[in-house]
Amino acid sequence: MSDPNVDMSDGVQMGARTLLAHAAAADDAAHDGLSGAIADFFIHDSHRLDERTRLGLARLIRALIDTVKGELRDHGIRQLQAQGEGELAESLARSTGVFAALSESGLLRDRTLMAELIAQVRQEQLAAALPIQAHDDPEQPSLVNRLVQHPDRVLAQCAMGLLIAESRRRSVPEQGPLPQTDLSAELHHRLVWWVAAALRQCVPGGSERDMSGAALLDRVLAEAAQRSLAAHDEGDRVEAAVMRLAVAIDARPEELPELLDEALGDRRVTLFAGLLAHALGVDYAVARDLALDSASSRLWVALRALGLERPAIARLGLALAQADPRRDIEAFAEQIDTIMAITVEDARAALAGLRLPVDYRAAVQALRRGPA
């Protein structure tokens, strides 16, 4: 039997306030949804991510977060159990929603992080789509495999290092963690602290936890993050490995066209970008952007700056156009005469800015664009 002394109006009022709060939240969500739809409508097609890239990017981001989350959470659980804090360790083990927390916070919209991840996804997609070029000798191994057998020990070790790094990068699972984040030290640093903070927020029972328990959780997560940072070696990345190989090869100008052609023929976009970067004297990321840029003529200018002639540029352009649907092969064919009209000196002068430090170039661009 109900208690006649209980004022039922209190429950009704609380329910009404909850409904009002939900209505207000729905109104905000509808506003944000409309803003997103409008922004999406006005994005130029050349800037829009295709569905395959979007899915690849989503999978890579989740895998990176799962990787860092697993490292931090596992270490934190062990530390808490060792200190006799079994209940808190169990709460940490039950934490969920880290990806959602980071996504909703806006942290994952970081331009530097997203630029790197989008480039990694597109680089792998381009490599997978490149036509395999048959060697004159069908028994001849690929370029990197031949270099592994090279009598120059340094060259052979660098080639083997690239094979190992590439195998790690390509082992992205459908879901779950990666062997390692394979990010630069700067981006790994950001992601680790973001995930540590998101884990803290997602551990159940946060509002009921006393100050000592909250302080212990903070200390354990911070220690786990610092442990992850100390263990990270960006020298293991594919980008670092391929640049070491490009330096070891140190291709002469007359060797470069064939090496670039063979790199694409072997579906090794990383090696193509590494050889290009070393020859131009620019960072790997700059050369990779040139290779992936289908909207401008920067790659052709870069190839002219290296002295490549018409047949070599035509072969490279054809291979890239066959692999990248964003490239217009007919437009490239019509442009080849214009490309060849660019002198080597003019091409080098046009690309001089790419050799400047990346932070300096970013600052120049920010000043040119003005306030956001």
Side-chain angles (χ1 to χ4, degrees):
M1 185 174 179
S2 61
D3 187 347
N5 296 318
V6 174
D7 187 353
M8 299 297 292
S9 64
D10 287 346
V12 173
Q13 289 175 359
M14 289 180 63
R17 285 195 292 271
T18 301
L19 285 176
L20 289 170
H22 287 170
D27 190 48
D28 289 341
H31 179 273
D32 292 343
L34 178 59
S35 298
I38 293 171
D40 182 71
F41 178 79
F42 285 103
I43 293 175
H44 193 278
D45 286 346
S46 62
H47 299 152
R48 190 183 303 277
L49 292 180
D50 61 87
E51 192 61 24
R52 184 161 165 258
T53 304
R54 187 186 298 273
L55 290 173
L57 181 60
R59 189 175 68 169
L60 179 56
I61 293 174
R62 285 187 177 274
L64 287 169
I65 292 174
D66 285 346
T67 302
V68 177
K69 179 183 69 176
E71 289 179 1
L72 303 190
R73 187 166 61 184
D74 290 350
H75 182 73
I77 290 170
R78 289 196 301 271
Q79 290 299 103
L80 290 171
Q81 290 173 337
Q83 298 177 46
E85 296 288 343
E87 186 176 340
L88 188 53
E90 184 180 346
S91 293
L92 179 56
R94 290 188 287 111
S95 58
T96 58
V98 169
F99 175 81
L102 289 173
S103 182
E104 292 167 8
S105 71
L107 287 173
L108 296 180
R109 295 174 179 266
D110 181 88
R111 292 181 63 88
T112 306
L113 175 66
M114 293 303 294
E116 173 61 27
L117 300 187
I118 291 171
Q120 283 191 20
V121 170
R122 284 181 166 160
Q123 179 176 263
E124 291 301 316
Q125 289 176 346
L126 180 61
L130 280 166
I132 298 178
Q133 296 178 10
H135 296 290
D136 295 335
D137 179 2
E139 301 298 322
Q140 184 182 33
S142 69
L143 174 59
V144 175
N145 287 327
R146 294 203 309 274
L147 293 175
V148 169
Q149 304 299 324
H150 201 280
D152 184 325
R153 184 174 58 87
V154 173
L155 193 54
Q157 287 179 344
C158 289
M160 179 58 72
L162 176 59
L163 289 178
I164 294 170
E166 283 186 333
S167 68
R168 261 196 316 263
R169 173 72 63 84
R170 288 173 179 162
S171 60
V172 179
E174 288 297 327
Q175 57 183 4
L178 307 168
Q180 61 186 48
T181 63
D182 219 27
L183 294 172
S184 67
E186 177 188 2
L187 291 179
H188 181 76
H189 184 277
R190 292 185 201 178
L191 188 61
V192 164
W193 288 118
W194 292 346
V195 172
L199 263 175
R200 178 187 189 274
Q201 178 178 309
C202 294
V203 174
S207 57
E208 296 84 16
R209 191 169 296 117
D210 58 32
M211 292 183 63
S212 62
L216 177 58
L217 180 62
D218 283 336
R219 188 164 64 250
V220 164
L221 288 174
E223 179 185 317
Q226 289 169 331
R227 177 175 176 270
S228 176
L229 296 178
H232 184 71
D233 183 1
E234 67 177 350
D236 291 337
R237 302 180 69 217
V238 169
E239 292 76 11
V242 81
M243 286 308 299
R244 287 194 294 269
L245 179 57
V247 170
I249 294 172
D250 195 21
R252 297 190 298 273
E254 63 272 18
E255 298 173 327
L256 190 60
E258 184 177 350
L259 288 171
L260 290 173
D261 189 40
E262 195 167 357
L264 289 188
D266 290 341
R267 290 180 165 179
R268 282 203 157 85
V269 178
T270 52
L271 182 56
F272 176 85
L275 291 167
L276 190 63
H278 179 65
L280 290 171
V282 300
D283 292 337
Y284 176 87
V286 173
R288 180 182 60 189
D289 288 346
L290 291 174
L292 297 176
D293 184 1
S294 61
S296 76
S297 304
R298 293 190 305 163
L299 177 59
W300 318 131
V301 175
L303 296 179
R304 285 298 295 141
L306 296 174
L308 267 68
E309 297 297 339
R310 185 189 189 102
I313 293 178
R315 284 195 304 273
L316 296 173
L318 177 60
L320 291 170
Q322 288 177 325
D324 189 346
R326 299 175 303 159
R327 292 185 181 274
D328 187 336
I329 191 169
E330 293 181 0
F332 171 70
E334 293 174 356
Q335 194 181 27
I336 191 72
D337 289 335
T338 305
I339 293 169
M340 296 313 301
I342 301 172
T343 66
V344 173
E345 293 73 20
D346 286 345
R348 288 174 178 170
L351 296 179
L354 297 181
R355 297 187 180 91
L356 297 171
V358 61
D359 290 336
Y360 177 77
R361 288 191 290 113
V364 170
Q365 290 173 359
L367 285 173
R368 185 185 302 129
R369 284 192 300 265

